Amino acid sequence: MPMTETDAERTVSTDRENAARRVAALNRNDKPFHVVLAQQFDRRTIEELCQLADMIRAIGGSRQGTQFLRTMLSHHRAMLYFIQPSTRTFLSFTAACQIVGIPYNEVRDRSTSSELKGESEEDTIRVLSQYFDLIIMRHPAEGFAERVAHMLNDMPRTIPVINGGSGKDQHPTQAMLDIYTLFRSFGTPASVAHGTGGQEGRGRISAPRYTWNPFAGKTVAFVGDLKRGRTVRSLTYLLCRYPGVRLMFVAPPQLQIEEDILDYISRNGIEYELGDDIRGCIGDCDAIYMTRLQDEWDVDGESKAIDYDRYSLTYDMAKDFKPNLTIMHPLPRRHELDQELDALPQAKYWDQVRNGMWMRAALMASIFNVDVAIRDHYYAYYTF
Ligand code: NCD
């Protein structure tokens, strides 16, 4: 039976209530305490964190500044529980820990843990929560990081968890570094980058100017395996905070972005288009976000038959690029992103890697409320 209008409306409002409840369980003081879902970041939080990442970057440029930053979280300890393959995200987090001075340990292989003696993974996490003050985790199961956050909320000693990639579902810190990269590429007015109004509201790091929306009128295309690429899902949630952005999803039909994300985009009044060949859209794009084929999720080698050339960016396409195009990739790349493109000014994927380190340091500073001390230090020593 077709849904009546009221049924549909009821579904939408229930979805919204559920989303609000999920976010409320993860946030404290209106900002992320656990970092699990991209939906936790509203526009104010996104822009404050980009500003904080810029400040940490500036302070970290000198020996004295680096030493100052290292005192920020030196009284805490972090656990990197990464039981799914990772090099760059893992190393990005270790570098970020070093920037804010938080000592860390790692578990990267379940076979060395008591899970082999029959301990549940939940108990392993409970044990870790007694030694450490922060858990950063990468896990193959969707929803596991969120479950851990709820579990930690129920422990007498609640510590935060950061999701460094959860199955095919979400990768919120990657999305934050991606939007930070887009902010930097689309041009950041001085008032946002250096907060000329920054001395107001000393309780929380000053809010940048929300009236300025660099995404209005911009086209961002996502290309590749969009069904199983968690970075695309998370970044889409963030982009939906910016009215006037136009999204394109270019993917093989069987690997196209999932309906739940398309519903979310529509509910937020954002325009989108679906495509199945990159050549059809290159000239229109202000940013192209390339992704690899995520064939480790194949059940029966089903993606072998896909002609990935239609979802690959090659040097001969550069003649059609807008001069200010931003080319992104969460990495690792395969052949979908021609190495010859690396030398072009439009290639921003190495910047993404570096931006990620500053953004993750900013996230940790924000979780532990040392963002205000960093901001004050910045205004005392780094503005003229
Ligand atoms: C991505 C991931 O793990 O989701 N990599 C990353 O974290 N930078 C993308 C991928 O593996 O393709």
Side-chain angles (χ1 to χ4, degrees):
M1 205 173 79
M3 280 211 298
T4 65
E5 185 107 8
T6 16
D7 281 342
E9 278 165 11
R10 217 170 285 134
T11 312
V12 168
S13 76
T14 317
D15 285 354
R16 284 219 176 107
E17 280 161 29
N18 286 344
R21 208 169 308 121
R22 285 173 78 192
V23 166
L26 301 168
N27 282 8
R28 300 257 192 292
N29 306 322
D30 274 343
K31 64 175 184 175
F33 172 70
H34 304 290
V35 175
V36 173
L37 308 170
Q39 300 93 304
Q40 287 177 260
F41 295 89
D42 58 18
R43 200 161 150 186
R44 174 184 174 136
T45 309
I46 293 170
E47 291 166 32
E48 284 176 352
L49 283 162
C50 290
Q51 191 184 49
L52 183 63
D54 267 350
M55 290 176 184
I56 293 176
R57 177 182 224 128
I59 298 171
S62 73
R63 185 188 174 93
Q64 274 162 323
T66 301
Q67 281 166 351
F68 162 77
L69 289 171
R70 282 196 195 136
T71 63
M72 287 292 98
L73 296 181
S74 54
H75 55 305
H76 290 305
R77 280 183 298 280
M79 160 50 60
L80 277 85
Y81 184 78
F82 268 57
I83 55 163
Q84 205 193 10
S86 174
T87 23
R88 75 217 68 243
T89 304
F90 179 82
L91 291 175
S92 177
F93 272 113
T94 60
C97 286
Q98 286 161 348
I99 291 169
V100 289
I102 185 164
Y104 60 86
N105 275 1
E106 60 186 73
V107 169
R108 303 197 68 181
D109 181 0
R110 275 169 167 162
S111 68
T112 60
S113 103
S114 283
E115 285 169 43
L116 220 65
K117 299 184 197 164
E119 182 175 65
S120 71
E121 206 168 11
E122 282 78 2
D123 270 0
T124 302
I125 303 287
R126 288 186 183 101
V127 169
L128 295 177
S129 77
Q130 301 304 305
Y131 295 136
F132 296 94
D133 305 298
L134 166 68
I135 296 177
I136 303 168
M137 80 161 39
R138 170 168 284 200
H139 199 279
E142 276 142 56
F144 187 71
E146 192 170 2
R147 237 174 43 232
V148 165
H150 292 163
M151 202 176 83
L152 292 170
N153 281 346
D154 291 339
M155 296 284 287
R157 181 174 184 275
T158 300
I159 65 161
V161 60
I162 298 181
N163 176 5
S166 51
K168 300 190 271 302
D169 182 33
Q170 284 245 11
H171 198 345
T173 65
Q174 175 76 38
M176 282 302 299
L177 78 86
D178 290 337
I179 203 152
Y180 179 42
T181 304
L182 285 168
F183 259 105
R184 289 175 67 85
S185 301
F186 289 167
T188 312
S191 63
V192 173
H194 300 296
T196 46
Q199 303 297 346
E200 315 143 8
R202 297 180 79 84
R204 184 174 163 166
I205 186 162
S206 72
R209 306 272 179 260
Y210 305 108
T211 46
W212 179 72
N213 172 1
F215 296 95
K218 295 280 197 320
T219 298
V220 180
F222 293 98
V223 182
D225 187 342
L226 309 184
K227 186 186 174 84
R228 305 177 292 187
R230 55 195 171 192
T231 65
V232 172
R233 293 174 59 84
S234 290
L235 180 55
T236 302
Y237 281 120
L238 297 189
L239 288 173
C240 284
R241 301 287 188 188
Y242 292 90
V245 71
R246 202 168 140 252
L247 303 177
M248 299 189 70
F249 299 96
V250 180
Q254 64 274 44
L255 298 180
Q256 189 49 276
I257 190 95
E258 302 253 55
E259 282 296 325
D260 64 323
I261 297 285
L262 295 178
D263 285 349
Y264 186 87
I265 298 170
S266 304
R267 285 210 302 274
N268 283 277
I270 303 288
E271 223 186 282
Y272 73 85
E273 229 178 275
L274 304 180
D276 73 349
D277 193 334
I278 192 171
R279 285 171 202 273
C281 73
I282 288 187
D284 297 331
C285 295
D286 298 288
I288 300 188
Y289 193 100
M290 300 300 299
T291 65
R292 70 179 171 90
L293 187 62
Q294 306 264 328
D295 45 11
E296 71 270 33
W297 299 105
D298 276 10
V299 179
D300 203 11
E302 60 271 24
S303 53
K304 283 210 174 69
I306 294 172
D307 170 15
Y308 219 70
D309 286 351
R310 295 163 74 93
Y311 315 101
S312 299
L313 202 61
T314 53
Y315 192 74
D316 62 287
M317 298 175 185
K319 59 182 182 332
D320 299 321
F321 291 170
K322 285 190 182 177
N324 293 328
L325 172 70
T326 300
I327 304 173
M328 298 168 78
H329 195 304
L331 305 175
R333 74 167 151 194
R334 294 181 182 168
H335 52 79
E336 70 281 351
L337 183 58
D338 199 341
Q339 288 195 24
E340 277 186 81
L341 293 166
D342 293 8
L344 297 183
Q346 289 98 338
K348 297 287 191 243
Y349 25 97
W350 309 124
D351 296 1
Q352 273 173 279
V353 177
R354 191 145 178 92
N355 293 342
M357 185 177 81
W358 304 118
M359 176 49 76
R360 289 180 170 118
L363 278 164
M364 284 190 262
S366 167
I367 288 171
F368 288 107
N369 297 313
V370 294
D371 42 355
V372 175
I374 293 174
R375 193 270 315 262
D376 287 349
H377 184 89
Y378 178 84
Y379 284 116
Y381 299 107
Y382 293 84
T383 46
F384 305 100

